[in-house]
Amino acid sequence: MRTGKHATVQNRFIYAIYEQAENSEDSFLWMYHPQITLQNLHQALQSHMQSCPILYKFLCQEQYIRATWCIPDIAKLQQVLYKHAHHRMDQQQASKITFAQFMNKSEFSELMHNAVKEWFTKLQSAWNSCRSMLPEYAKDKDRVYFSSPLTEETPLEYFIPTTTGAGVCTHFLMRFLVDTHNGFLMECDHQLVQKERSSTVWKRSDYTIQVENVQPCHLMNYESKIQSVLTANCHYSIGEQGRGISIHYDFIALEKHLVDRFIHGKPYIKYEIPHVVYQKEIYTTEHFVAIRKKVKPQEKVPLQLQREILCELHTVNKLKSALDTVEMVMGFLASGGGSANQSLAVYTDKVLKLPADTFASKDHCKLSHILSVWEIISVELAKQMTLHEEKPFGLPEQLLPSFSEALDDTQKLELDKMLRRVQLDWMLGVIYQLVELYLKDDKEKDSPLLEVLKVFIEVNDAEASSQLSEFPQSITFAQVIATWKYIVFYQQKNI
């Protein structure tokens, strides 16, 4: 153990390193220097920015680069919301339910529930860091959505990515994060080529990854290591006690470490918005009229092919997956049209580049069959949902009570007589389309269902109206859902 003069010198040296006074009463503010942080480094670099452009660019954008660490979690959250909203949720419903209510109503496992909550927290963190930068991405009418924080009490539609409306929040947030990541890599590439570093090592034009496949290792994730890099590349000038300590950074070495450890080898990210089409956006008469005009002629699927489709899609999940594909095709055809003779499989696989394994029967269908295929799959799915005591239609919640009035015994007997003489699949198809395409409000709920059906059929298939000659006149439009359910169970009982 050292004593005397040597111990005194050693103690003073230790006090100096740790910026401590030998006696507490000797402590003064001017004895301390700024902590070794990125902020302090940024201030020190101001006079050397030309010699270390990559390091300077990094420090200027560090707040946003740090936010890019949230990309994988935001992408996962977007995928979850896409699956729950795409063709399954009405926009009005999404605008009224909060994120917290969505989580409470969801049937996630405990593990999945916790994961979604964590992803949501990461989205909030990125939003708080980058919100001020997002309005420049949006149109004037959409900039109002960036004025508020995102919380669990925010309507769900803010988190469902869309190109207009409240969904621009998460859409443009993700675009900004991806642009920040890619833009910084491009700047590094430019600066390194200028410095005549090996361009063969730095080529990355072919190294691109889809945003949904991004992992932390693909990002500039420096959080756990940056402090040790800073400490290893700065020098202390220790004076006598009371003179403080000066910090000198080795900027050139810091930039090299930054590039080699955190930037080199990172891929560019490709972001394509998981385009959500709300349930009612495609279920409109206008969409169907547009398809009939732009893809002529529209034909019925042959009976044998109908059987093959229904045989293949024998589960609810398969029906839902196939319907997603068909509705997506319909959306594109309604806006851009297509050749009626083109194979549906070729259109989905080559034009839309959708997964090829949706359902094999589409190989035998053409675009001229698209409305018929939609009717076959959607009606069968609605029938299965009815048999499983689930909601068969995508009606807004506020309309359901108005059109769910029960049938009385007399009306059921009258229906029985009519159903013995009518094609049940045709009848179910007409009612399904009536509810999904025509029912927008409750103004006609007291009208006879027969009259509403006649008007709908005359517009779409005038020759088929004769099949309604024995339809019970006492049944009102308000009983349309009960009528649908009765026919479904009648058909099931008489198979």
Side-chain angles (χ1 to χ4, degrees), residues 329-361:
V329 171
M330 290 170 63
F332 280 98
L333 293 179
S335 59
S339 171
N341 291 322
Q342 186 172 23
S343 164
L344 177 57
V346 171
Y347 188 80
T348 57
D349 300 348
K350 305 297 184 183
V351 179
L352 301 185
K353 300 187 184 301
L354 300 178
D357 57 350
T358 48
F359 64 105
S361 307

mmCIF file of all heavy atoms in Angstrom, residues 329-361:
data_model
loop_
_atom_site.group_PDB
_atom_site.id
_atom_site.type_symbol
_atom_site.label_atom_id
_atom_site.label_comp_id
_atom_site.label_asym_id
_atom_site.label_seq_id
_atom_site.Cartn_x
_atom_site.Cartn_y
_atom_site.Cartn_z
ATOM 1 N N VAL A 329 -57.922 -7.774 -58.037
ATOM 2 C CA VAL A 329 -57.999 -7.753 -59.491
ATOM 3 C C VAL A 329 -59.120 -6.823 -59.947
ATOM 4 O O VAL A 329 -58.944 -6.014 -60.866
ATOM 5 C CB VAL A 329 -58.233 -9.179 -60.040
ATOM 6 C CG1 VAL A 329 -58.545 -9.141 -61.535
ATOM 7 C CG2 VAL A 329 -57.017 -10.056 -59.778
ATOM 8 N N MET A 330 -60.268 -6.931 -59.292
ATOM 9 C CA MET A 330 -61.411 -6.081 -59.653
ATOM 10 C C MET A 330 -61.086 -4.604 -59.492
ATOM 11 O O MET A 330 -61.497 -3.776 -60.309
ATOM 12 C CB MET A 330 -62.620 -6.467 -58.797
ATOM 13 C CG MET A 330 -63.211 -7.830 -59.150
ATOM 14 S SD MET A 330 -64.451 -8.388 -57.945
ATOM 15 C CE MET A 330 -65.703 -7.132 -58.121
ATOM 16 N N GLY A 331 -60.363 -4.269 -58.431
ATOM 17 C CA GLY A 331 -59.988 -2.882 -58.225
ATOM 18 C C GLY A 331 -59.143 -2.337 -59.370
ATOM 19 O O GLY A 331 -59.367 -1.221 -59.849
ATOM 20 N N PHE A 332 -58.177 -3.143 -59.833
ATOM 21 C CA PHE A 332 -57.320 -2.714 -60.940
ATOM 22 C C PHE A 332 -58.097 -2.660 -62.256
ATOM 23 O O PHE A 332 -57.906 -1.747 -63.064
ATOM 24 C CB PHE A 332 -56.119 -3.649 -61.070
ATOM 25 C CG PHE A 332 -55.025 -3.374 -60.086
ATOM 26 C CD1 PHE A 332 -54.916 -4.122 -58.922
ATOM 27 C CD2 PHE A 332 -54.121 -2.352 -60.295
ATOM 28 C CE1 PHE A 332 -53.915 -3.869 -57.999
ATOM 29 C CE2 PHE A 332 -53.114 -2.088 -59.389
ATOM 30 C CZ PHE A 332 -53.017 -2.847 -58.239
ATOM 31 N N LEU A 333 -58.979 -3.640 -62.477
ATOM 32 C CA LEU A 333 -59.744 -3.660 -63.722
ATOM 33 C C LEU A 333 -60.735 -2.505 -63.779
ATOM 34 O O LEU A 333 -60.980 -1.943 -64.845
ATOM 35 C CB LEU A 333 -60.494 -4.992 -63.855
ATOM 36 C CG LEU A 333 -59.626 -6.250 -64.048
ATOM 37 C CD1 LEU A 333 -60.505 -7.487 -64.141
ATOM 38 C CD2 LEU A 333 -58.748 -6.122 -65.287
ATOM 39 N N ALA A 334 -61.309 -2.141 -62.646
ATOM 40 C CA ALA A 334 -62.271 -1.040 -62.623
ATOM 41 C C ALA A 334 -61.612 0.280 -62.998
ATOM 42 O O ALA A 334 -62.246 1.160 -63.597
ATOM 43 C CB ALA A 334 -62.907 -0.931 -61.239
ATOM 44 N N SER A 335 -60.333 0.427 -62.680
ATOM 45 C CA SER A 335 -59.639 1.682 -62.990
ATOM 46 C C SER A 335 -58.897 1.637 -64.320
ATOM 47 O O SER A 335 -58.881 2.623 -65.062
ATOM 48 C CB SER A 335 -58.649 2.024 -61.868
ATOM 49 O OG SER A 335 -57.699 0.986 -61.700
ATOM 50 N N GLY A 336 -58.288 0.489 -64.623
ATOM 51 C CA GLY A 336 -57.455 0.426 -65.822
ATOM 52 C C GLY A 336 -57.947 -0.464 -66.936
ATOM 53 O O GLY A 336 -57.424 -0.414 -68.050
ATOM 54 N N GLY A 337 -58.961 -1.296 -66.664
ATOM 55 C CA GLY A 337 -59.468 -2.199 -67.687
ATOM 56 C C GLY A 337 -58.518 -3.345 -67.973
ATOM 57 O O GLY A 337 -57.480 -3.506 -67.312
ATOM 58 N N GLY A 338 -58.866 -4.156 -68.965
ATOM 59 C CA GLY A 338 -58.034 -5.292 -69.327
ATOM 60 C C GLY A 338 -58.666 -6.079 -70.459
ATOM 61 O O GLY A 338 -59.814 -5.818 -70.856
ATOM 62 N N SER A 339 -57.932 -7.036 -70.991
ATOM 63 C CA SER A 339 -58.424 -7.875 -72.082
ATOM 64 C C SER A 339 -59.280 -9.004 -71.525
ATOM 65 O O SER A 339 -58.827 -9.770 -70.659
ATOM 66 C CB SER A 339 -57.251 -8.457 -72.873
ATOM 67 O OG SER A 339 -57.699 -9.433 -73.793
ATOM 68 N N ALA A 340 -60.501 -9.124 -72.018
ATOM 69 C CA ALA A 340 -61.424 -10.145 -71.511
ATOM 70 C C ALA A 340 -60.885 -11.555 -71.717
ATOM 71 O O ALA A 340 -61.190 -12.469 -70.948
ATOM 72 C CB ALA A 340 -62.781 -9.995 -72.190
ATOM 73 N N ASN A 341 -60.070 -11.745 -72.744
ATOM 74 C CA ASN A 341 -59.559 -13.090 -73.053
ATOM 75 C C ASN A 341 -58.297 -13.452 -72.277
ATOM 76 O O ASN A 341 -57.824 -14.582 -72.374
ATOM 77 C CB ASN A 341 -59.283 -13.214 -74.554
ATOM 78 C CG ASN A 341 -60.570 -13.217 -75.368
ATOM 79 O OD1 ASN A 341 -61.573 -13.790 -74.951
ATOM 80 N ND2 ASN A 341 -60.541 -12.559 -76.524
ATOM 81 N N GLN A 342 -57.748 -12.507 -71.541
ATOM 82 C CA GLN A 342 -56.529 -12.795 -70.797
ATOM 83 C C GLN A 342 -56.821 -13.731 -69.631
ATOM 84 O O GLN A 342 -57.830 -13.627 -68.944
ATOM 85 C CB GLN A 342 -55.892 -11.515 -70.264
ATOM 86 C CG GLN A 342 -54.531 -11.748 -69.598
ATOM 87 C CD GLN A 342 -53.841 -10.448 -69.242
ATOM 88 O OE1 GLN A 342 -54.488 -9.419 -69.086
ATOM 89 N NE2 GLN A 342 -52.519 -10.464 -69.132
ATOM 90 N N SER A 343 -55.896 -14.652 -69.401
ATOM 91 C CA SER A 343 -56.039 -15.593 -68.288
ATOM 92 C C SER A 343 -55.983 -14.847 -66.956
ATOM 93 O O SER A 343 -55.148 -13.956 -66.761
ATOM 94 C CB SER A 343 -54.923 -16.639 -68.347
ATOM 95 O OG SER A 343 -54.805 -17.326 -67.127
ATOM 96 N N LEU A 344 -56.865 -15.228 -66.054
ATOM 97 C CA LEU A 344 -56.859 -14.615 -64.724
ATOM 98 C C LEU A 344 -55.542 -14.912 -64.017
ATOM 99 O O LEU A 344 -54.996 -14.051 -63.320
ATOM 100 C CB LEU A 344 -58.038 -15.154 -63.906
ATOM 101 C CG LEU A 344 -58.153 -14.667 -62.449
ATOM 102 C CD1 LEU A 344 -58.221 -13.147 -62.384
ATOM 103 C CD2 LEU A 344 -59.371 -15.293 -61.776
ATOM 104 N N ALA A 345 -55.013 -16.116 -64.208
ATOM 105 C CA ALA A 345 -53.748 -16.493 -63.572
ATOM 106 C C ALA A 345 -52.596 -15.647 -64.098
ATOM 107 O O ALA A 345 -51.741 -15.194 -63.332
ATOM 108 C CB ALA A 345 -53.468 -17.980 -63.800
ATOM 109 N N VAL A 346 -52.574 -15.408 -65.409
ATOM 110 C CA VAL A 346 -51.520 -14.583 -65.995
ATOM 111 C C VAL A 346 -51.616 -13.156 -65.471
ATOM 112 O O VAL A 346 -50.606 -12.524 -65.145
ATOM 113 C CB VAL A 346 -51.618 -14.597 -67.536
ATOM 114 C CG1 VAL A 346 -50.675 -13.565 -68.145
ATOM 115 C CG2 VAL A 346 -51.303 -15.991 -68.065
ATOM 116 N N TYR A 347 -52.825 -12.640 -65.349
ATOM 117 C CA TYR A 347 -53.020 -11.276 -64.872
ATOM 118 C C TYR A 347 -52.543 -11.121 -63.429
ATOM 119 O O TYR A 347 -51.878 -10.137 -63.089
ATOM 120 C CB TYR A 347 -54.495 -10.889 -64.973
ATOM 121 C CG TYR A 347 -54.764 -9.429 -64.682
ATOM 122 C CD1 TYR A 347 -54.549 -8.451 -65.652
ATOM 123 C CD2 TYR A 347 -55.228 -9.027 -63.437
ATOM 124 C CE1 TYR A 347 -54.783 -7.105 -65.390
ATOM 125 C CE2 TYR A 347 -55.473 -7.683 -63.158
ATOM 126 C CZ TYR A 347 -55.247 -6.730 -64.135
ATOM 127 O OH TYR A 347 -55.474 -5.408 -63.869
ATOM 128 N N THR A 348 -52.871 -12.087 -62.575
ATOM 129 C CA THR A 348 -52.458 -11.983 -61.172
ATOM 130 C C THR A 348 -50.964 -12.226 -61.002
ATOM 131 O O THR A 348 -50.307 -11.545 -60.217
ATOM 132 C CB THR A 348 -53.231 -12.990 -60.296
ATOM 133 O OG1 THR A 348 -53.034 -14.326 -60.802
ATOM 134 C CG2 THR A 348 -54.712 -12.681 -60.281
ATOM 135 N N ASP A 349 -50.417 -13.188 -61.753
ATOM 136 C CA ASP A 349 -49.022 -13.562 -61.561
ATOM 137 C C ASP A 349 -48.051 -12.634 -62.283
ATOM 138 O O ASP A 349 -47.019 -12.252 -61.726
ATOM 139 C CB ASP A 349 -48.785 -15.003 -62.045
ATOM 140 C CG ASP A 349 -49.638 -16.017 -61.302
ATOM 141 O OD1 ASP A 349 -50.226 -15.640 -60.267
ATOM 142 O OD2 ASP A 349 -49.745 -17.161 -61.773
ATOM 143 N N LYS A 350 -48.374 -12.243 -63.516
ATOM 144 C CA LYS A 350 -47.445 -11.475 -64.339
ATOM 145 C C LYS A 350 -47.687 -9.968 -64.274
ATOM 146 O O LYS A 350 -46.737 -9.177 -64.246
ATOM 147 C CB LYS A 350 -47.534 -11.936 -65.799
ATOM 148 C CG LYS A 350 -47.309 -13.422 -66.014
ATOM 149 C CD LYS A 350 -45.911 -13.846 -65.593
ATOM 150 C CE LYS A 350 -45.672 -15.320 -65.898
ATOM 151 N NZ LYS A 350 -44.341 -15.781 -65.443
ATOM 152 N N VAL A 351 -48.960 -9.570 -64.237
ATOM 153 C CA VAL A 351 -49.278 -8.140 -64.247
ATOM 154 C C VAL A 351 -49.248 -7.564 -62.835
ATOM 155 O O VAL A 351 -48.534 -6.602 -62.548
ATOM 156 C CB VAL A 351 -50.653 -7.879 -64.897
ATOM 157 C CG1 VAL A 351 -50.978 -6.381 -64.876
ATOM 158 C CG2 VAL A 351 -50.678 -8.412 -66.325
ATOM 159 N N LEU A 352 -50.013 -8.173 -61.928
ATOM 160 C CA LEU A 352 -50.062 -7.676 -60.553
ATOM 161 C C LEU A 352 -48.955 -8.252 -59.681
ATOM 162 O O LEU A 352 -48.717 -7.750 -58.581
ATOM 163 C CB LEU A 352 -51.429 -8.000 -59.923
ATOM 164 C CG LEU A 352 -52.654 -7.423 -60.636
ATOM 165 C CD1 LEU A 352 -53.912 -7.717 -59.829
ATOM 166 C CD2 LEU A 352 -52.504 -5.934 -60.867
ATOM 167 N N LYS A 353 -48.320 -9.326 -60.180
ATOM 168 C CA LYS A 353 -47.229 -9.978 -59.447
ATOM 169 C C LYS A 353 -47.660 -10.391 -58.034
ATOM 170 O O LYS A 353 -46.948 -10.178 -57.052
ATOM 171 C CB LYS A 353 -45.998 -9.059 -59.386
ATOM 172 C CG LYS A 353 -45.448 -8.694 -60.761
ATOM 173 C CD LYS A 353 -44.147 -7.943 -60.675
ATOM 174 C CE LYS A 353 -43.659 -7.509 -62.061
ATOM 175 N NZ LYS A 353 -43.465 -8.643 -62.979
ATOM 176 N N LEU A 354 -48.830 -10.991 -57.973
ATOM 177 C CA LEU A 354 -49.330 -11.523 -56.706
ATOM 178 C C LEU A 354 -48.784 -12.927 -56.506
ATOM 179 O O LEU A 354 -48.326 -13.572 -57.457
ATOM 180 C CB LEU A 354 -50.866 -11.554 -56.721
ATOM 181 C CG LEU A 354 -51.567 -10.206 -56.914
ATOM 182 C CD1 LEU A 354 -53.080 -10.401 -56.962
ATOM 183 C CD2 LEU A 354 -51.196 -9.247 -55.802
ATOM 184 N N PRO A 355 -48.804 -13.436 -55.272
ATOM 185 C CA PRO A 355 -48.355 -14.814 -55.034
ATOM 186 C C PRO A 355 -49.096 -15.792 -55.937
ATOM 187 O O PRO A 355 -50.319 -15.683 -56.119
ATOM 188 C CB PRO A 355 -48.704 -15.049 -53.561
ATOM 189 C CG PRO A 355 -48.691 -13.687 -52.959
ATOM 190 C CD PRO A 355 -49.205 -12.760 -54.021
ATOM 191 N N ALA A 356 -48.369 -16.745 -56.499
ATOM 192 C CA ALA A 356 -48.959 -17.649 -57.503
ATOM 193 C C ALA A 356 -49.803 -18.756 -56.908
ATOM 194 O O ALA A 356 -50.487 -19.475 -57.629
ATOM 195 C CB ALA A 356 -47.841 -18.259 -58.357
ATOM 196 N N ASP A 357 -49.773 -18.919 -55.593
ATOM 197 C CA ASP A 357 -50.430 -20.076 -54.978
ATOM 198 C C ASP A 357 -51.772 -19.721 -54.328
ATOM 199 O O ASP A 357 -52.197 -20.362 -53.377
ATOM 200 C CB ASP A 357 -49.510 -20.705 -53.926
ATOM 201 C CG ASP A 357 -49.088 -19.697 -52.859
ATOM 202 O OD1 ASP A 357 -49.357 -18.503 -53.057
ATOM 203 O OD2 ASP A 357 -48.502 -20.125 -51.850
ATOM 204 N N THR A 358 -52.461 -18.686 -54.823
ATOM 205 C CA THR A 358 -53.720 -18.288 -54.197
ATOM 206 C C THR A 358 -54.787 -19.363 -54.358
ATOM 207 O O THR A 358 -55.297 -19.895 -53.385
ATOM 208 C CB THR A 358 -54.209 -16.953 -54.778
ATOM 209 O OG1 THR A 358 -54.151 -17.019 -56.208
ATOM 210 C CG2 THR A 358 -53.355 -15.809 -54.277
ATOM 211 N N PHE A 359 -55.157 -19.669 -55.613
ATOM 212 C CA PHE A 359 -56.040 -20.820 -55.857
ATOM 213 C C PHE A 359 -55.845 -21.273 -57.299
ATOM 214 O O PHE A 359 -55.805 -20.480 -58.230
ATOM 215 C CB PHE A 359 -57.502 -20.510 -55.533
ATOM 216 C CG PHE A 359 -58.146 -19.457 -56.387
ATOM 217 C CD1 PHE A 359 -59.057 -19.790 -57.389
ATOM 218 C CD2 PHE A 359 -57.871 -18.112 -56.189
ATOM 219 C CE1 PHE A 359 -59.662 -18.820 -58.162
ATOM 220 C CE2 PHE A 359 -58.465 -17.129 -56.950
ATOM 221 C CZ PHE A 359 -59.365 -17.480 -57.949
ATOM 222 N N ALA A 360 -55.713 -22.580 -57.465
ATOM 223 C CA ALA A 360 -55.320 -23.147 -58.758
ATOM 224 C C ALA A 360 -56.395 -22.987 -59.821
ATOM 225 O O ALA A 360 -56.091 -22.901 -61.013
ATOM 226 C CB ALA A 360 -54.970 -24.627 -58.574
ATOM 227 N N SER A 361 -57.656 -22.939 -59.421
ATOM 228 C CA SER A 361 -58.755 -22.893 -60.391
ATOM 229 C C SER A 361 -58.709 -21.650 -61.257
ATOM 230 O O SER A 361 -59.298 -21.624 -62.346
ATOM 231 C CB SER A 361 -60.098 -22.959 -59.660
ATOM 232 O OG SER A 361 -60.151 -24.069 -58.799
#
